[in-house]
Amino acid sequence: MPDIDIVTPIHPAPALPLRARLAPLLMPHRLVMAGLALAALLAIITQMEWSWLPVYLPKIGDGLLVTLVLLASSVIAGFALALPLGAVQVTGPAPLRWLATGFCTVIRGTPLLLQLWLIYYGLGALFAQFPEIRGSWLWPYLRQAWPYGFLTLTLSFAAYQGEIMRGAFAGVPRGELEAARAFGMPRLMVFRRVWFPRAVHRALPTLAGEIILQLKATPLVATITVTDLYAVITRVRQDTYLTYEPLLLLIAIYLCLSGTLTIVLRWLEGRVPSGH
Amino acid sequence: MIEAIDFSLLALTSPGWGGALLAGFLRSVELAAGGYLLGIVIGLLGATAKLYGGRVLRDIAEIYTLLIRAVPELVLMLLFYYVGTDLLNQLMAAFGREGIDIDGLSAGILVIGLVQGGYATEVFRGAIRAVPPGQIEAAQAFGMSPFRVLRRVTLPAMAPHALPGMANLWMIATKDTALLAVIGFSELTLVTKQAAAATREYFLFFFAAGLLYLALTLISNLGLRWLERRARRGLPAAA
C-alpha cells in the first residue's frame, strides 16, 4: 500500500452512459451464452422435480437465518478477538506474543472440521462429567449444538484475521508513529489515536474476502446438528430421495449470498475514505 | 473426575488406534497431493484460457472461477462427487459395461482438484501477468514453439510470483481433505472421529490428529520456503 497522497483531490469515476455499460453484455457470444443459460434454467425448472419446494420453503428460510446469524456473530466476535491477537504479536511482551502466535499457527494449521468436532464432542463430553455444570443455568444452552459452532467459527475467524491484523499493525509507517510521539503523546494515546485506527484502516480491504471465506465455512456446523441452510437442504435430500434438485437450489442460494455480500461490502469499502 | 489419559490407545497394533490413524493420515496426504497436482494442471489451463483464450473460452473460465470462489467447498465437493460418479456410470453404461464403484481415492482427488483448480487459475493468471511481456515476445521472436516458450520462459519466470499463492493453496488442500469426511471418505478426520467415538477419548484422538495435520503443515512450510528462495534467485529482494 503506497503512502497516502494528500495533495490530489479525490475525483469520483465519471459515470458511463447506460449504452456503454451495457455494451459488454451485448456481445454476440455473450447473448448466445445467456440464451443457453436461460434454456438450461427453464429445463431445470420444468423438467426436474420441484413439488417439495413450497413445503420446505419456511424451513429453508429458518436455515438461511441461522446461517446469517452465525456468520454475523462469529465475524463480529472474531474481529474483536483478532485486534488484541494482532497487536500483541507486534508489540506485546514475549510470553503473550508466543501465545498469540502459537494460537494463530495451530488454528490455521489444522482443518476447521477437526476443531469443530474436537470442541463439540470433546468439550461436550467433558462438561457432562461435572455435576456443577449440569446443575448451572448455563446447561440448557451448553446442551445445544450452536454454542460450540459459534465458538469454533469465532476462534477460526480470529486466528485468520489476527494474522492479517499482525501485518496491519506492523505495516503502519514508522513516521506516523514518530510524529505522534513528537507531539508528546503518551504511548497509550499513540496507540489509541494513531496506531490502532491506522492498522484497522489498513486491514479493511482484506476484510471482505475473509467474510466471504467465513460464509463458506458455516455449512460445517451442520455436521454437529446445527440446522443451518445446509442442514435443511440435507434434510430435504434425505426426505425426498432427490440428489440434484436441492443441491442446485443450495448452490443458487449461496451464489446469491456471496454476490450480495460482495456488493454490500464493496459499497461499504467505498464509503471509507482511503486517501487515493 | 477426569481419569488419567490412556496413551496405549494410540498403540500401532490392534487394541490401539495408532495404525488406523496413520493409515488415515497417509490417505489424507495422498488425496491432498493428487488434488493439488490436478489443481495445478487445471489452473494452468484456466490461466491460459483467461489470458490467451478466445472470448467464449475466457468467459467460461471466468464462470468456473466465480462458481468455485462463491460456493462453499463442502457443497462443491458434494456436487462434483455426485455429478462425477453419475457421469462415469452413464459413460460405462453407454459402452455396455456394468456400473462400477469408483474407488474413493480417484473420486476424492477429482473433487479436491476441481476446487483447487479455480483458485490456482487466479494465482497463475496473476503470476503470468507479472512476467514482463518483452521476455515472452523475445522467446517468440527466436522462433520457439508455444510449448517451448511456456516451458523455457513463461513457467520459470512466473514461478517466483506464483509460489506464495501456490504455497497457500497447498495448505488449503491439506485442510480441505478433512471435508471429504462428511461425504464418507475414511481419511484422517473421519478415522479420528470413529476412534474417538469408539473409545470415548475425544480429546486424546482429536489432539493426536491435530498434531499430525500441524506437523504436515509446518514441515511443508519449510520445504515451500526453500523452494521460494530457490525460485527467487537473481531477483531483487522482496519488498
Side-chain angles (χ1 to χ4, degrees):
Chain A
M1 200 164 157
D3 280 331
I4 283 185
D5 168 16
I6 49 168
V7 184
T8 343
I10 305 159
H11 293 295
L16 288 164
L18 190 64
R19 268 180 61 188
R21 272 191 289 170
L22 277 179
L25 287 178
L26 294 177
M27 284 195 281
H29 78 286
R30 288 213 168 121
L31 287 178
V32 173
M33 285 172 87
L36 283 178
L38 208 64
L41 192 65
L42 274 176
I44 286 173
I45 290 173
T46 54
Q47 301 297 311
M48 290 178 121
E49 174 63 45
W50 293 102
S51 57
W52 50 271
L53 193 54
V55 184
Y56 284 97
L57 211 52
K59 279 193 181 162
I60 293 175
D62 292 347
L64 185 62
L65 194 68
V66 170
T67 293
L68 287 178
V69 168
L70 257 182
L71 173 68
S73 58
S74 67
V75 163
I76 293 169
F79 191 70
L81 230 128
L83 296 175
L85 270 175
V88 152
Q89 285 186 72
V90 176
T91 177
L96 275 181
R97 197 167 65 220
W98 294 330
L99 260 179
T101 311
F103 173 79
C104 287
T105 311
V106 168
I107 298 279
R108 288 169 0 112
T110 54
L112 181 58
L113 188 65
L114 190 80
Q115 297 159 17
L116 189 67
W117 287 353
L118 166 73
I119 286 180
Y120 178 64
Y121 293 111
L123 273 189
L126 187 70
F127 285 159
Q129 289 178 4
F130 292 96
E132 298 90 335
I133 293 180
R134 295 184 69 119
S136 79
W137 59 272
L138 270 172
W139 184 241
Y141 298 102
L142 291 180
R143 277 178 62 189
Q144 295 172 23
W146 65 262
Y148 303 98
F150 167 72
L151 177 66
T152 315
L153 285 176
T154 300
L155 291 181
S156 160
F157 191 81
Y160 285 94
Q161 192 63 36
E163 194 67 23
I164 293 171
M165 285 314 299
R166 182 185 64 81
F169 274 112
V172 173
R174 290 183 66 85
E176 295 183 19
L177 302 180
E178 279 160 12
R181 228 166 285 146
F183 268 108
M185 290 189 190
R187 278 191 55 166
L188 207 65
M189 193 188 273
V190 173
F191 184 80
R192 193 164 50 86
R193 288 244 184 112
V194 182
W195 205 4
F196 179 74
R198 283 289 284 131
V200 171
H201 191 210
R202 290 174 71 89
L204 275 185
T206 58
L207 195 60
E210 290 295 315
I211 292 175
I212 299 284
L213 285 180
Q214 184 78 348
L215 168 72
K216 294 181 1 176
T218 52
L220 287 185
V221 297
T223 62
I224 59 166
T225 73
V226 177
T227 42
D228 74 325
L229 181 64
Y230 178 84
V232 174
I233 294 291
T234 309
R235 178 72 195 283
V236 174
R237 294 179 58 212
Q238 283 164 358
D239 287 356
T240 58
Y241 300 111
L242 292 169
T243 307
Y244 291 113
E245 287 86 347
L247 214 52
L248 285 176
L249 180 70
L250 184 64
I251 289 174
I253 297 178
Y254 274 118
L255 272 176
C256 292
L257 275 182
S258 304
T260 320
L261 261 179
T262 309
I263 291 170
V264 169
L265 290 169
R266 196 173 295 164
W267 176 77
L268 276 177
E269 213 173 277
R271 291 180 57 89
V272 178
S274 69
H276 302 270
Chain B
M1 221 50 224
I2 309 166
E3 308 91 63
I5 293 173
D6 182 8
F7 281 103
S8 69
L9 285 172
L10 287 177
L12 286 177
T13 45
S14 188
W17 286 81
L21 239 56
L22 280 183
F25 178 62
L26 273 184
R27 177 44 75 95
S28 286
V29 175
E30 281 171 2
L31 284 166
Y36 186 66
L37 288 180
L38 182 60
I40 288 179
V41 174
I42 296 177
L44 284 173
L45 290 177
T48 316
K50 273 195 176 186
L51 289 171
Y52 308 114
R55 288 174 165 176
V56 180
L57 217 55
R58 218 180 296 175
D59 278 359
I60 290 175
E62 208 67 57
I63 291 170
Y64 166 62
T65 51
L66 183 87
L67 189 76
I68 297 288
R69 285 186 301 170
V71 178
E73 279 82 356
L74 186 59
V75 180
L76 287 174
M77 286 183 178
L78 269 185
L79 180 80
F80 293 148
Y81 182 66
Y82 286 113
V83 172
T85 45
D86 251 19
L87 277 183
L88 207 73
N89 274 334
Q90 275 174 16
L91 210 71
M92 296 306 270
F95 283 109
R97 300 260 183 85
E98 285 285 295
I100 47 150
D101 245 5
I102 300 151
D103 77 298
L105 191 63
S106 21
I109 286 176
L110 180 77
V111 162
I112 299 227
L114 280 172
V115 174
Q116 287 270 312
Y119 292 98
T121 299
E122 293 299 303
V123 171
F124 285 136
R125 190 181 65 118
I128 292 177
R129 279 178 55 127
V131 176
Q135 296 187 3
I136 294 170
E137 280 161 20
Q140 284 162 347
F142 269 109
M144 288 188 188
S145 66
F147 184 71
R148 182 173 277 190
V149 174
L150 187 75
R151 193 169 55 89
R152 285 257 185 99
V153 179
T154 314
L155 284 185
M158 77 159 190
H161 304 291
L163 265 173
M166 289 315 289
N168 210 4
L169 271 185
W170 166 247
M171 302 297 159
I172 293 176
T174 58
K175 286 182 282 174
D176 270 358
T177 57
L179 296 179
L180 292 171
V182 179
I183 313 182
F185 286 82
S186 63
E187 44 64 70
L188 180 55
T189 301
L190 189 62
V191 173
T192 306
K193 191 189 175 193
Q194 287 160 349
T199 57
R200 310 205 58 75
E201 288 284 355
Y202 292 102
F203 280 118
L204 173 68
F205 284 110
F206 280 122
F207 271 119
L211 279 181
L212 284 177
Y213 278 116
L214 208 58
L216 179 63
T217 315
L218 294 179
I219 291 171
S220 24
N221 237 338
L222 287 181
L224 288 166
R225 222 172 280 163
W226 174 80
L227 214 61
E228 210 176 309
R229 259 207 317 277
R230 218 184 117 74
R232 290 197 64 89
R233 280 169 312 172
L235 283 176

